Amino acid sequence: MTSRIPRDSRLRLVRPRTLAAAPRAMNQRPARRPAPRPPEGTPAPAELARLARAVLAGAARVARWADATLSPGRDRGATASDGTPDGSSRGKGTLTDATARRAATDLALTSDQVRADWDVARLAGLIEVHGDIARPGWRLRAWNRDDSAVLRGWVAFFDAWSIAHPGPAGREPSAVAEVVSAMPQVLSFLQLSAGPVPVPQLLDLLEQRVTELRTERCEIPYGPQPDPVESPASPASPAEDTPLAPLLDWALHALAGVGALTCADGQATLTPLGSWAVWVKLEQICVAAQSPAGNIEQGAEDMLRGCAQLRPNAARAEYRAWLAARPVGSAVTELLAAARGEDALSRGLAFEALRVVGAPAEPDVRAVADETPLRPYALLWLAEHDGHDPEDAHLVLTREEATWLWVDTAAAVADHGEAPLLVRHLESAVQATVPALLDEVRAVGHPRTVQVLVALAAAHPDPALAKAVRRAAFQVHTGGN
């Protein structure tokens, strides 16, 4: 007597989906909230886009010149880290001296102006750098017809104000970082004030916020502690000795340089663009605070766990709000740290959040592509960022990488999902048969292989297939064949 279900049944091949896209229960509906209206007096989107185009006019001009002049496959070194004519090497995405001079001649600018506009174009997404090659960004294509694309480009430039205008030389880097972290509160105060604010008042606010940041970093050991030993007062850290007034002056002028505010007569005032951008970010924070998860103040790992039960659209709204409340660089670092943890679900969700970050995360994602646990996720992220259809992005993975990702996703399902979902996960394997899948899963060396196979064997309704999976789990556990 034989089983009605073939022991070596074929697996139906389907395009793999990220775990975050797995269907949730139908009763998990995100709370709907009416679309908020900007504060009274905020210009219409078309007017805001006109202002943004004016701020980024030089960057758009250089980007169009590069698009028209540097055709694909020619002058590739002009936008990369290849050697310059004098043999020196430049960082990826910077112009070579020859190309900068050529652009300066064509556009009647100086080479320094061309380089500055080129850097702004990169920050605004008008130019995208992929490895050693720069190419026009999608925002450049939509520049004249899509106001939302223009505003997104300007917001990306606004978010990168401290990169566009680096901190003053000779200042303590940690103090500069503290000021950058504190400026969102200063900008929020300016936005709520809806008018000019004296710089001394902003300095008081900055000093208070920096003090809060330093206090938050203090860690008090748990449990009884030995009596303190009298000793001379310890000297203050270099950051604490750094006066904040010059750094506030730098920050205000840097934000003025990106078009977010104006400084005159000892007062600072948000421009219409700056006021609108700060309102958008405050609104995102409010959305997160009112959401079922409310993860805005959590660290990356706790935030990702809180988003695990949300449907994809609701989770993306949480990611956007969480990102809006902190500097992009530190947010990306936190997300990648969470991805390196043992929880496979957090790893997958971290890269979903990094998709919301977009282009600013590319250098960090590219840097982790050599780390085995993160490599499949990073390669998929980079493929989608490079323009691949998300449905076909998995084609960039090798067979081994795809198998590793299958095991990692199965581990997330086994830890956080239900048995039927783990059984359905079989359908996303690239292997054509169950024996082929088991052979390659055993060979790939994922640390959760045994647990995944045991959970799959317990969940699968086919006794013959479950027995084969249990045998494979035992072989992996004992190191046998």
Side-chain angles (χ1 to χ4, degrees):
M1 184 173 180
T2 60
S3 170
R4 289 178 297 173
I5 302 177
R7 293 172 181 261
D8 191 11
S9 57
R10 303 281 294 183
L11 298 181
R12 180 168 59 88
L13 296 179
V14 297
R15 289 189 175 94
R17 295 178 296 173
T18 59
L19 185 60
R24 306 291 183 185
M26 291 302 293
N27 60 356
Q28 292 178 350
R29 297 290 183 184
R32 294 192 177 276
R33 183 172 181 264
R37 293 182 176 275
E40 187 177 353
T42 302
E47 175 62 15
L48 289 171
R50 185 190 67 80
L51 297 173
R53 287 187 179 95
V55 172
L56 298 173
R61 178 172 54 172
V62 168
R64 288 196 186 96
W65 175 88
D67 186 23
T69 308
L70 307 178
S71 60
R74 186 184 66 182
D75 287 339
R76 184 169 290 183
T79 59
S81 56
D82 300 336
T84 54
D86 59 2
S88 62
S89 178
R90 298 190 179 278
K92 289 186 177 181
T94 59
L95 292 173
T96 60
D97 291 339
T99 303
R101 287 193 297 268
R102 179 179 174 186
T105 299
D106 291 349
L107 300 174
L109 300 171
T110 66
S111 293
D112 289 342
Q113 288 174 320
V114 169
R115 292 188 188 283
D117 288 339
W118 175 268
D119 291 339
V120 172
R122 291 179 57 201
L123 293 173
L126 297 172
I127 292 171
E128 296 176 354
V129 177
H130 303 274
D132 286 347
I133 300 174
R135 68 187 187 198
W138 69 271
R139 286 177 183 144
L140 183 64
R141 303 298 190 204
W143 198 248
N144 293 325
R145 56 180 171 78
D146 189 340
D147 289 345
S148 65
V150 174
L151 290 174
R152 289 177 186 177
W154 181 83
V155 169
F157 181 42
F158 165 66
D159 286 339
W161 65 268
S162 61
I163 299 174
H165 300 273
R171 299 292 177 180
E172 178 63 28
S174 57
V176 174
E178 288 172 342
V179 169
V180 172
S181 297
M183 284 308 293
Q185 282 69 27
V186 174
L187 291 170
S188 298
F189 181 74
L190 279 168
Q191 201 274 338
L192 294 172
S193 299
V197 177
V199 172
Q201 190 173 354
L202 296 178
L203 180 59
D204 289 341
L205 177 61
L206 177 66
E207 290 173 343
Q208 292 174 23
R209 181 55 186 154
V210 168
T211 300
E212 291 173 359
L213 291 172
R214 291 170 180 169
T215 302
E216 290 170 1
R217 287 201 304 269
C218 292
E219 296 182 359
I220 302 176
Y222 177 77
Q225 301 297 314
D227 294 333
V229 179
E230 293 186 5
S231 60
S234 58
S237 68
E240 293 174 349
D241 283 341
T242 302
L244 295 182
L247 292 178
L248 175 61
D249 182 69
W250 157 70
L252 292 176
H253 283 86
L255 287 161
V258 301
L261 54 78
T262 59
C263 289
D265 301 325
Q267 295 181 319
T269 309
L270 286 179
T271 64
L273 269 177
S275 179
W276 168 79
V278 174
W279 170 79
V280 168
K281 293 182 180 298
L282 288 173
E283 189 60 32
Q284 289 173 342
I285 293 172
C286 291
V287 168
Q290 296 176 16
S291 70
N295 296 293
I296 189 63
E297 296 181 356
Q298 302 294 327
E301 192 165 354
D302 290 335
M303 180 274 293
L304 294 171
R305 288 198 190 102
C307 293
Q309 298 305 315
L310 298 178
R311 296 179 70 84
N313 286 341
R316 280 191 289 271
E318 292 283 333
Y319 302 149
R320 282 193 291 270
W322 185 85
L323 291 164
R326 44 192 46 80
V328 174
S330 61
V332 171
T333 300
E334 271 196 69
L335 289 170
L336 289 175
R340 292 188 179 95
E342 296 181 357
D343 189 346
L345 178 61
S346 293
R347 187 156 34 253
L349 294 179
F351 277 86
E352 291 296 328
L354 288 168
R355 285 177 172 83
V356 176
V357 177
E362 182 191 1
D364 297 274
V365 173
R366 198 174 293 279
V368 303
D370 291 333
E371 300 180 26
T372 300
L374 305 186
R375 181 171 176 79
Y377 297 95
L379 292 179
L380 289 175
W381 190 99
L382 291 168
E384 293 179 23
H385 179 66
D386 287 347
H388 287 72
D389 189 318
E391 292 291 322
D392 298 325
H394 67 282
L395 297 175
V396 304
L397 301 180
T398 65
R399 183 92 160 201
E400 183 178 7
E401 291 161 352
T403 303
W404 179 284
L405 181 61
W406 186 91
V407 178
D408 208 50
T409 305
V413 176
D415 290 342
H416 302 278
E418 300 175 352
L421 184 59
L422 184 60
V423 173
R424 288 200 300 272
H425 182 56
L426 272 173
E427 297 178 350
S428 66
V430 297
Q431 292 77 10
T433 65
V434 171
L437 170 65
L438 295 178
D439 288 343
E440 294 187 34
V441 164
R442 290 165 53 191
V444 81
H446 193 289
R448 295 290 306 278
T449 298
V450 173
Q451 294 93 327
V452 164
L453 293 178
V454 169
L456 181 58
H460 207 283
D462 180 355
L465 190 148
K467 180 179 179 181
V469 174
R470 277 195 300 272
R471 184 186 304 115
F474 178 77
Q475 291 170 340
V476 174
H477 177 64
T478 60
N481 295 321

mmCIF file of all heavy atoms in Angstrom, residues 419-454:
data_model
loop_
_atom_site.group_PDB
_atom_site.id
_atom_site.type_symbol
_atom_site.label_atom_id
_atom_site.label_comp_id
_atom_site.label_asym_id
_atom_site.label_seq_id
_atom_site.Cartn_x
_atom_site.Cartn_y
_atom_site.Cartn_z
ATOM 1 N N ALA A 419 2.151 27.342 11.766
ATOM 2 C CA ALA A 419 2.577 26.152 11.022
ATOM 3 C C ALA A 419 2.169 26.180 9.558
ATOM 4 O O ALA A 419 2.985 25.862 8.678
ATOM 5 C CB ALA A 419 2.042 24.895 11.712
ATOM 6 N N PRO A 420 0.930 26.550 9.228
ATOM 7 C CA PRO A 420 0.562 26.569 7.798
ATOM 8 C C PRO A 420 1.431 27.512 6.973
ATOM 9 O O PRO A 420 1.737 27.230 5.811
ATOM 10 C CB PRO A 420 -0.897 27.030 7.817
ATOM 11 C CG PRO A 420 -1.408 26.648 9.161
ATOM 12 C CD PRO A 420 -0.241 26.838 10.091
ATOM 13 N N LEU A 421 1.849 28.641 7.575
ATOM 14 C CA LEU A 421 2.701 29.569 6.843
ATOM 15 C C LEU A 421 4.065 28.960 6.579
ATOM 16 O O LEU A 421 4.657 29.157 5.512
ATOM 17 C CB LEU A 421 2.837 30.880 7.634
ATOM 18 C CG LEU A 421 3.634 32.007 6.967
ATOM 19 C CD1 LEU A 421 3.010 32.389 5.628
ATOM 20 C CD2 LEU A 421 3.716 33.225 7.877
ATOM 21 N N LEU A 422 4.570 28.172 7.535
ATOM 22 C CA LEU A 422 5.856 27.503 7.328
ATOM 23 C C LEU A 422 5.746 26.464 6.220
ATOM 24 O O LEU A 422 6.661 26.320 5.396
ATOM 25 C CB LEU A 422 6.308 26.847 8.635
ATOM 26 C CG LEU A 422 7.691 26.192 8.619
ATOM 27 C CD1 LEU A 422 8.769 27.221 8.286
ATOM 28 C CD2 LEU A 422 7.994 25.545 9.968
ATOM 29 N N VAL A 423 4.619 25.742 6.168
ATOM 30 C CA VAL A 423 4.428 24.761 5.094
ATOM 31 C C VAL A 423 4.354 25.465 3.739
ATOM 32 O O VAL A 423 4.966 25.027 2.757
ATOM 33 C CB VAL A 423 3.152 23.928 5.354
ATOM 34 C CG1 VAL A 423 2.853 23.019 4.166
ATOM 35 C CG2 VAL A 423 3.318 23.093 6.620
ATOM 36 N N ARG A 424 3.640 26.589 3.690
ATOM 37 C CA ARG A 424 3.543 27.331 2.421
ATOM 38 C C ARG A 424 4.890 27.907 2.017
ATOM 39 O O ARG A 424 5.126 28.159 0.825
ATOM 40 C CB ARG A 424 2.504 28.452 2.548
ATOM 41 C CG ARG A 424 1.074 27.956 2.606
ATOM 42 C CD ARG A 424 0.088 29.070 2.248
ATOM 43 N NE ARG A 424 0.191 30.204 3.147
ATOM 44 C CZ ARG A 424 -0.470 30.325 4.287
ATOM 45 N NH1 ARG A 424 -1.270 29.343 4.699
ATOM 46 N NH2 ARG A 424 -0.342 31.406 5.041
ATOM 47 N N HIS A 425 5.745 28.117 2.978
ATOM 48 C CA HIS A 425 7.065 28.681 2.658
ATOM 49 C C HIS A 425 7.872 27.739 1.762
ATOM 50 O O HIS A 425 8.781 28.169 1.050
ATOM 51 C CB HIS A 425 7.831 28.970 3.953
ATOM 52 C CG HIS A 425 9.178 29.597 3.749
ATOM 53 N ND1 HIS A 425 9.352 30.777 3.039
ATOM 54 C CD2 HIS A 425 10.420 29.213 4.127
ATOM 55 C CE1 HIS A 425 10.639 31.084 3.021
ATOM 56 N NE2 HIS A 425 11.316 30.156 3.666
ATOM 57 N N LEU A 426 7.533 26.459 1.784
ATOM 58 C CA LEU A 426 8.200 25.511 0.882
ATOM 59 C C LEU A 426 8.072 25.946 -0.572
ATOM 60 O O LEU A 426 8.966 25.713 -1.388
ATOM 61 C CB LEU A 426 7.586 24.114 1.038
ATOM 62 C CG LEU A 426 8.164 23.187 2.106
ATOM 63 C CD1 LEU A 426 7.325 21.944 2.221
ATOM 64 C CD2 LEU A 426 9.605 22.838 1.780
ATOM 65 N N GLU A 427 6.955 26.574 -0.908
ATOM 66 C CA GLU A 427 6.698 26.932 -2.305
ATOM 67 C C GLU A 427 7.650 27.997 -2.820
ATOM 68 O O GLU A 427 7.792 28.170 -4.029
ATOM 69 C CB GLU A 427 5.255 27.423 -2.450
ATOM 70 C CG GLU A 427 4.209 26.365 -2.107
ATOM 71 C CD GLU A 427 2.803 26.907 -2.219
ATOM 72 O OE1 GLU A 427 2.666 28.142 -2.375
ATOM 73 O OE2 GLU A 427 1.851 26.125 -2.152
ATOM 74 N N SER A 428 8.300 28.732 -1.903
ATOM 75 C CA SER A 428 9.191 29.795 -2.351
ATOM 76 C C SER A 428 10.619 29.322 -2.576
ATOM 77 O O SER A 428 11.480 30.115 -2.967
ATOM 78 C CB SER A 428 9.196 30.940 -1.323
ATOM 79 O OG SER A 428 9.782 30.504 -0.109
ATOM 80 N N ALA A 429 10.895 28.036 -2.335
ATOM 81 C CA ALA A 429 12.247 27.523 -2.540
ATOM 82 C C ALA A 429 12.580 27.487 -4.028
ATOM 83 O O ALA A 429 11.718 27.236 -4.870
ATOM 84 C CB ALA A 429 12.377 26.124 -1.943
ATOM 85 N N VAL A 430 13.845 27.724 -4.349
ATOM 86 C CA VAL A 430 14.267 27.715 -5.751
ATOM 87 C C VAL A 430 14.469 26.300 -6.263
ATOM 88 O O VAL A 430 14.493 26.063 -7.471
ATOM 89 C CB VAL A 430 15.561 28.540 -5.936
ATOM 90 C CG1 VAL A 430 15.321 29.989 -5.594
ATOM 91 C CG2 VAL A 430 16.698 27.967 -5.096
ATOM 92 N N GLN A 431 14.636 25.331 -5.347
ATOM 93 C CA GLN A 431 14.854 23.952 -5.768
ATOM 94 C C GLN A 431 13.551 23.354 -6.288
ATOM 95 O O GLN A 431 12.457 23.686 -5.826
ATOM 96 C CB GLN A 431 15.388 23.107 -4.603
ATOM 97 C CG GLN A 431 16.807 23.476 -4.168
ATOM 98 C CD GLN A 431 16.871 24.745 -3.335
ATOM 99 O OE1 GLN A 431 15.832 25.260 -2.922
ATOM 100 N NE2 GLN A 431 18.076 25.247 -3.097
ATOM 101 N N ALA A 432 13.678 22.437 -7.230
ATOM 102 C CA ALA A 432 12.499 21.861 -7.880
ATOM 103 C C ALA A 432 11.864 20.748 -7.065
ATOM 104 O O ALA A 432 10.674 20.485 -7.198
ATOM 105 C CB ALA A 432 12.868 21.336 -9.264
ATOM 106 N N THR A 433 12.637 20.058 -6.231
ATOM 107 C CA THR A 433 12.113 18.936 -5.455
ATOM 108 C C THR A 433 12.525 19.082 -4.009
ATOM 109 O O THR A 433 13.499 19.779 -3.673
ATOM 110 C CB THR A 433 12.645 17.593 -5.985
ATOM 111 O OG1 THR A 433 14.057 17.547 -5.787
ATOM 112 C CG2 THR A 433 12.321 17.419 -7.466
ATOM 113 N N VAL A 434 11.798 18.382 -3.152
ATOM 114 C CA VAL A 434 12.120 18.413 -1.720
ATOM 115 C C VAL A 434 13.497 17.811 -1.445
ATOM 116 O O VAL A 434 14.284 18.392 -0.688
ATOM 117 C CB VAL A 434 11.013 17.699 -0.914
ATOM 118 C CG1 VAL A 434 11.435 17.539 0.545
ATOM 119 C CG2 VAL A 434 9.709 18.475 -1.006
ATOM 120 N N PRO A 435 13.866 16.654 -2.017
ATOM 121 C CA PRO A 435 15.219 16.139 -1.768
ATOM 122 C C PRO A 435 16.317 17.120 -2.184
ATOM 123 O O PRO A 435 17.328 17.262 -1.481
ATOM 124 C CB PRO A 435 15.272 14.863 -2.615
ATOM 125 C CG PRO A 435 13.848 14.422 -2.706
ATOM 126 C CD PRO A 435 13.056 15.682 -2.779
ATOM 127 N N ALA A 436 16.131 17.799 -3.318
ATOM 128 C CA ALA A 436 17.138 18.778 -3.742
ATOM 129 C C ALA A 436 17.214 19.928 -2.746
ATOM 130 O O ALA A 436 18.307 20.414 -2.413
ATOM 131 C CB ALA A 436 16.804 19.305 -5.137
ATOM 132 N N LEU A 437 16.063 20.368 -2.257
ATOM 133 C CA LEU A 437 16.052 21.430 -1.257
ATOM 134 C C LEU A 437 16.789 20.992 0.000
ATOM 135 O O LEU A 437 17.626 21.737 0.539
ATOM 136 C CB LEU A 437 14.603 21.815 -0.922
ATOM 137 C CG LEU A 437 14.417 22.751 0.276
ATOM 138 C CD1 LEU A 437 15.027 24.114 -0.005
ATOM 139 C CD2 LEU A 437 12.937 22.900 0.624
ATOM 140 N N LEU A 438 16.493 19.790 0.479
ATOM 141 C CA LEU A 438 17.130 19.321 1.709
ATOM 142 C C LEU A 438 18.636 19.197 1.537
ATOM 143 O O LEU A 438 19.410 19.532 2.439
ATOM 144 C CB LEU A 438 16.521 17.980 2.122
ATOM 145 C CG LEU A 438 15.036 18.018 2.508
ATOM 146 C CD1 LEU A 438 14.536 16.619 2.863
ATOM 147 C CD2 LEU A 438 14.799 18.983 3.658
ATOM 148 N N ASP A 439 19.073 18.701 0.390
ATOM 149 C CA ASP A 439 20.516 18.590 0.144
ATOM 150 C C ASP A 439 21.193 19.941 0.199
ATOM 151 O O ASP A 439 22.260 20.097 0.815
ATOM 152 C CB ASP A 439 20.763 17.935 -1.218
ATOM 153 C CG ASP A 439 20.449 16.453 -1.224
ATOM 154 O OD1 ASP A 439 20.355 15.875 -0.122
ATOM 155 O OD2 ASP A 439 20.291 15.883 -2.327
ATOM 156 N N GLU A 440 20.592 20.936 -0.420
ATOM 157 C CA GLU A 440 21.228 22.251 -0.479
ATOM 158 C C GLU A 440 21.095 22.994 0.847
ATOM 159 O O GLU A 440 21.985 23.768 1.218
ATOM 160 C CB GLU A 440 20.640 23.060 -1.633
ATOM 161 C CG GLU A 440 20.977 22.447 -2.982
ATOM 162 C CD GLU A 440 20.554 23.310 -4.157
ATOM 163 O OE1 GLU A 440 20.596 24.545 -4.037
ATOM 164 O OE2 GLU A 440 20.165 22.739 -5.201
ATOM 165 N N VAL A 441 20.000 22.765 1.553
ATOM 166 C CA VAL A 441 19.858 23.370 2.878
ATOM 167 C C VAL A 441 20.927 22.827 3.818
ATOM 168 O O VAL A 441 21.532 23.576 4.601
ATOM 169 C CB VAL A 441 18.440 23.111 3.435
ATOM 170 C CG1 VAL A 441 18.391 23.380 4.933
ATOM 171 C CG2 VAL A 441 17.424 23.991 2.718
ATOM 172 N N ARG A 442 21.169 21.532 3.748
ATOM 173 C CA ARG A 442 22.216 20.946 4.591
ATOM 174 C C ARG A 442 23.587 21.491 4.242
ATOM 175 O O ARG A 442 24.438 21.685 5.107
ATOM 176 C CB ARG A 442 22.198 19.424 4.440
ATOM 177 C CG ARG A 442 20.983 18.765 5.070
ATOM 178 C CD ARG A 442 20.812 17.340 4.584
ATOM 179 N NE ARG A 442 22.024 16.546 4.747
ATOM 180 C CZ ARG A 442 22.206 15.338 4.214
ATOM 181 N NH1 ARG A 442 21.253 14.806 3.465
ATOM 182 N NH2 ARG A 442 23.325 14.682 4.424
ATOM 183 N N ALA A 443 23.828 21.754 2.954
ATOM 184 C CA ALA A 443 25.149 22.199 2.517
ATOM 185 C C ALA A 443 25.413 23.667 2.811
ATOM 186 O O ALA A 443 26.569 24.077 2.931
ATOM 187 C CB ALA A 443 25.308 21.945 1.013
ATOM 188 N N VAL A 444 24.355 24.479 2.938
ATOM 189 C CA VAL A 444 24.557 25.915 3.028
ATOM 190 C C VAL A 444 25.102 26.341 4.387
ATOM 191 O O VAL A 444 25.719 27.409 4.524
ATOM 192 C CB VAL A 444 23.239 26.652 2.698
ATOM 193 C CG1 VAL A 444 22.297 26.684 3.903
ATOM 194 C CG2 VAL A 444 23.517 28.064 2.205
ATOM 195 N N GLY A 445 24.872 25.528 5.441
ATOM 196 C CA GLY A 445 25.499 25.803 6.725
ATOM 197 C C GLY A 445 24.856 26.907 7.545
ATOM 198 O O GLY A 445 25.529 27.546 8.362
ATOM 199 N N HIS A 446 23.578 27.140 7.364
ATOM 200 C CA HIS A 446 22.909 28.163 8.175
ATOM 201 C C HIS A 446 22.821 27.679 9.630
ATOM 202 O O HIS A 446 22.504 26.513 9.890
ATOM 203 C CB HIS A 446 21.498 28.417 7.628
ATOM 204 C CG HIS A 446 20.843 29.636 8.185
ATOM 205 N ND1 HIS A 446 20.390 29.720 9.482
ATOM 206 C CD2 HIS A 446 20.573 30.853 7.618
ATOM 207 C CE1 HIS A 446 19.858 30.907 9.698
ATOM 208 N NE2 HIS A 446 19.962 31.613 8.578
ATOM 209 N N PRO A 447 23.105 28.542 10.606
ATOM 210 C CA PRO A 447 23.109 28.085 12.008
ATOM 211 C C PRO A 447 21.743 27.631 12.524
ATOM 212 O O PRO A 447 21.680 26.934 13.539
ATOM 213 C CB PRO A 447 23.599 29.329 12.777
ATOM 214 C CG PRO A 447 23.384 30.487 11.862
ATOM 215 C CD PRO A 447 23.538 29.951 10.481
ATOM 216 N N ARG A 448 20.648 28.015 11.854
ATOM 217 C CA ARG A 448 19.319 27.624 12.318
ATOM 218 C C ARG A 448 18.755 26.446 11.510
ATOM 219 O O ARG A 448 17.570 26.152 11.611
ATOM 220 C CB ARG A 448 18.354 28.809 12.200
ATOM 221 C CG ARG A 448 18.679 29.993 13.095
ATOM 222 C CD ARG A 448 18.433 29.675 14.570
ATOM 223 N NE ARG A 448 17.089 29.195 14.804
ATOM 224 C CZ ARG A 448 16.021 29.981 14.936
ATOM 225 N NH1 ARG A 448 16.160 31.295 14.858
ATOM 226 N NH2 ARG A 448 14.831 29.478 15.167
ATOM 227 N N THR A 449 19.592 25.764 10.738
ATOM 228 C CA THR A 449 19.094 24.713 9.846
ATOM 229 C C THR A 449 18.346 23.628 10.610
ATOM 230 O O THR A 449 17.239 23.220 10.217
ATOM 231 C CB THR A 449 20.256 24.095 9.048
ATOM 232 O OG1 THR A 449 20.855 25.112 8.236
ATOM 233 C CG2 THR A 449 19.759 22.980 8.146
ATOM 234 N N VAL A 450 18.928 23.129 11.695
ATOM 235 C CA VAL A 450 18.291 22.029 12.430
ATOM 236 C C VAL A 450 16.922 22.448 12.955
ATOM 237 O O VAL A 450 15.928 21.738 12.786
ATOM 238 C CB VAL A 450 19.197 21.563 13.587
ATOM 239 C CG1 VAL A 450 18.460 20.533 14.445
ATOM 240 C CG2 VAL A 450 20.476 20.950 13.041
ATOM 241 N N GLN A 451 16.860 23.619 13.593
ATOM 242 C CA GLN A 451 15.588 24.074 14.162
ATOM 243 C C GLN A 451 14.527 24.259 13.076
ATOM 244 O O GLN A 451 13.355 23.933 13.270
ATOM 245 C CB GLN A 451 15.784 25.382 14.926
ATOM 246 C CG GLN A 451 16.646 25.248 16.167
ATOM 247 C CD GLN A 451 18.115 25.541 15.876
ATOM 248 O OE1 GLN A 451 18.602 25.253 14.776
ATOM 249 N NE2 GLN A 451 18.802 26.098 16.852
ATOM 250 N N VAL A 452 14.952 24.780 11.917
ATOM 251 C CA VAL A 452 14.001 24.994 10.827
ATOM 252 C C VAL A 452 13.461 23.664 10.314
ATOM 253 O O VAL A 452 12.248 23.496 10.108
ATOM 254 C CB VAL A 452 14.672 25.787 9.680
ATOM 255 C CG1 VAL A 452 13.855 25.694 8.400
ATOM 256 C CG2 VAL A 452 14.840 27.243 10.079
ATOM 257 N N LEU A 453 14.345 22.691 10.120
ATOM 258 C CA LEU A 453 13.901 21.404 9.597
ATOM 259 C C LEU A 453 13.007 20.676 10.599
ATOM 260 O O LEU A 453 12.013 20.041 10.219
ATOM 261 C CB LEU A 453 15.111 20.546 9.233
ATOM 262 C CG LEU A 453 15.955 21.066 8.052
ATOM 263 C CD1 LEU A 453 17.152 20.154 7.816
ATOM 264 C CD2 LEU A 453 15.109 21.188 6.787
ATOM 265 N N VAL A 454 13.332 20.748 11.878
ATOM 266 C CA VAL A 454 12.493 20.111 12.891
ATOM 267 C C VAL A 454 11.105 20.746 12.902
ATOM 268 O O VAL A 454 10.084 20.054 12.967
ATOM 269 C CB VAL A 454 13.159 20.214 14.279
ATOM 270 C CG1 VAL A 454 12.174 19.802 15.373
ATOM 271 C CG2 VAL A 454 14.400 19.343 14.333
#
